[in-house]
Every structure is written in structure tokens, then in C-alpha cells.
Amino acid sequence: MHFVVCAKQIPDPETPPSAFRIDESTNSVVPAPGIAPVLSQFDAIAAEAALRIKEAAEEVKITVVSMGQESAQAAIKQVLAMGADEGLLLDDAAFLGGDSYTTARVLSTAVEKLGDVAAVFCGRPAGVWDMGRVGLGIAALLGWPAAIIAKDVQVTDGRLSATRVMADGFETVEMSLPAVVTVSNELGDPRYPKLQQIMRAARKTVTSWGAADLDLDPATVGESGSRLKLERLFIPEAGGEVELIDGESAQEQAAGLVAKLREAKIL
């Protein structure tokens, strides 16, 4: 079996808020100086789900795929160090500035070109926009069944079983392969590679494909093909006003608060 794990490189979530800057002229985040981007934590968990199946089955190959620039190789190498077999970077200026749809379009086309993929594993959302749309977009474009927000994934006899996290409990669904699954943090922590695994992954060659390799028209991907247009990206201004309610007793203060709330038409 051949699995694909989708991996996205994101700004380090541990970055201090004061280090973030927004370029409002381009609606983009300015990278924090001296702080390297990291693999999205949810994608690391998706990789863990695929690796657990690989450990329990025979002849499973895992390809980690990332759409990004050259720096995204670091995210690919991290999943390779965890135990994935091959890496694929989708790098093209035409892919920049895209939305969830164009991202899913590029990734699904890469999966089709790989040709023998049995399942695609994605993180529940990416650790930046938190939309959780790409996994389902890949499934829709490929015409494959999908399970989302899974805390456990099993593959047996050509079928995928996923235990999904619901608002009021859990639900187990089963579907035929090929399929797409998005994995939630309830699966558990991803493994930490050992030094030897990290060194071995660093020596692996990552294949790179662009729009021409995927036979994609640049007008249909990236910013040109986006269906969602970002009007403005900014850091909200924090602030507020405090007013102390006078009164000889708690009852008087409460009555004064109620009067203020009614004046503001909150009550």
C-alpha cells in the first residue's frame, strides 16, 4: 500500500505575539526574525497515524508531500525522520497566494500523478488559518470517500476504519480504499525521531514538482485560481475602558451596574 501524508510548514506557534508583523500592503505575515518555521503540529499527528498503520502492516510506503517554497523541505525531512519513505515538494511561484481550493487542487493532482495511492492523511486543520478544508477538498477533487477529525485510523483488507471525534462522543465509520482521512490531536502525540533517523533523513533527496510537471495551468492555481479573496489581514488592537461603580453597599453597586447595562442596551 502507498500512503500520502500532507505536511505544511507554518510559523512557529511558540513565537511571541510581539514578534509578529503584518504587511498590510500584501496581506501577508512578515516572518519573525531568527525564528524558523516548523511543521504544523496537526500534520505531524497525521504522519503518526500513517506510521502506526505501517508498523502493523507489511509493504506500506509513505510519501510526505508539501506545497511550499524551498524552506518547506525542513518539514518534509522531519516526517522522513519520523519514518516516512519518500518526500515530494510542490514548489512553483504559480502556487503562491492560493486558498484552500487551489491548495487542494495542487495536492490532489500530485496524488493522481503518484498513481498508486491508497490513502491520504491530513491534519485536522493547518496550524495557521485553522479552516480544515484542504483534506475534504482533496477528497472531493479525487472523488474519494473521506473521514474527518479521526482519533484512530485502521486499514484492513482494503478498507479504512476511522473513529471520529463528535460533539457528543465518538463515531466509527468504514470506507473502501482509496480514501482521505483528517487526523485530530486526540490520536496522541507524534513520535520524536532519534538522532540517527534525523541524520538518515537529512541525506534523502526530496523530489520537486512544479505546475508544468503536474500539467496545471498557472491561471487555475495560486492567487490566480483562488476562490477566496483576502480583503485585509491585520493585528487587532487591544484595549478597553474601565468604569468603577460607586455605592455604599454591594446591593447599591449591583443596582448601579444594572442601570449602566440598561443604558448601554445590553439588558
Side-chain angles (χ1 to χ4, degrees):
M1 285 187 296
H2 186 186
F3 295 161
V4 163
V5 172
C6 297
K8 182 179 178 67
Q9 191 179 53
I10 65 169
D12 191 339
E14 300 299 322
T15 302
S18 59
F20 277 102
R21 297 289 183 272
I22 299 295
D23 184 347
E24 295 198 32
S25 65
T26 60
N27 279 336
S28 62
V29 177
V30 179
I35 302 177
V38 298
L39 171 67
S40 173
Q41 64 271 34
F42 294 104
D43 292 345
I45 295 168
E48 177 65 28
L51 288 165
R52 290 182 187 180
I53 297 171
K54 180 181 180 180
E55 290 173 342
E58 295 181 359
E59 298 183 359
V60 172
K61 180 176 76 171
I62 297 177
T63 299
V64 53
V65 179
S66 182
M67 191 186 81
Q69 297 177 292
E70 188 68 20
S71 63
Q73 285 209 31
I76 294 174
K77 291 295 182 72
Q78 183 175 337
V79 181
L80 289 173
M82 290 172 66
D85 302 288
E86 297 178 355
L88 173 61
L89 176 64
L90 306 175
D91 181 12
D92 195 305
F95 298 156
L96 298 177
D99 60 1
S100 300
Y101 167 74
T102 55
T103 299
R105 178 172 169 78
V106 174
L107 290 170
S108 62
T109 304
V111 170
E112 285 183 312
K113 183 171 180 176
L114 287 171
D116 60 346
V117 177
V120 176
F121 292 75
C122 302
R124 174 180 179 168
V128 278
W129 296 103
D130 200 31
M131 292 185 179
R133 296 176 178 174
V134 171
L136 282 176
I138 293 171
L141 290 168
L142 291 173
W144 293 1
I148 62 171
I149 317 179
K151 77 178 189 72
D152 183 66
V153 185
Q154 303 291 332
V155 172
T156 307
D157 298 329
R159 297 187 67 81
L160 184 146
S161 173
T163 301
R164 300 181 56 229
V165 180
M166 309 292 287
D168 56 352
F170 304 105
E171 173 188 64
T172 299
V173 296
E174 187 177 285
M175 62 199 71
S176 60
L177 296 177
V180 177
V181 60
T182 71
V183 184
S184 186
N185 51 290
E186 285 85 355
L187 179 99
D189 294 332
R191 65 194 64 193
Y192 289 97
K194 297 179 181 178
L195 178 59
Q196 185 179 11
Q197 294 172 302
I198 295 172
M199 294 175 64
R200 189 183 302 123
R203 294 192 294 269
K204 287 190 175 182
T205 300
V206 175
T207 303
S208 182
W209 289 348
D213 298 295
L214 298 173
D215 293 326
L216 284 171
D217 182 351
T220 65
V221 294
E223 185 176 3
S224 299
S226 293
R227 300 184 177 188
L228 176 68
K229 301 301 180 184
L230 182 61
E231 294 291 338
R232 185 184 176 205
L233 184 66
F234 62 97
I235 298 176
E237 295 183 4
E241 297 181 359
V242 175
E243 180 179 351
L244 298 179
I245 306 297
D246 295 327
E248 295 293 331
S249 65
Q251 288 78 7
E252 289 185 11
Q253 291 174 325
L257 175 60
V258 169
K260 289 288 184 181
L261 292 174
R262 285 177 175 164
E263 182 181 336
K265 297 184 179 180
I266 297 175
L267 290 179

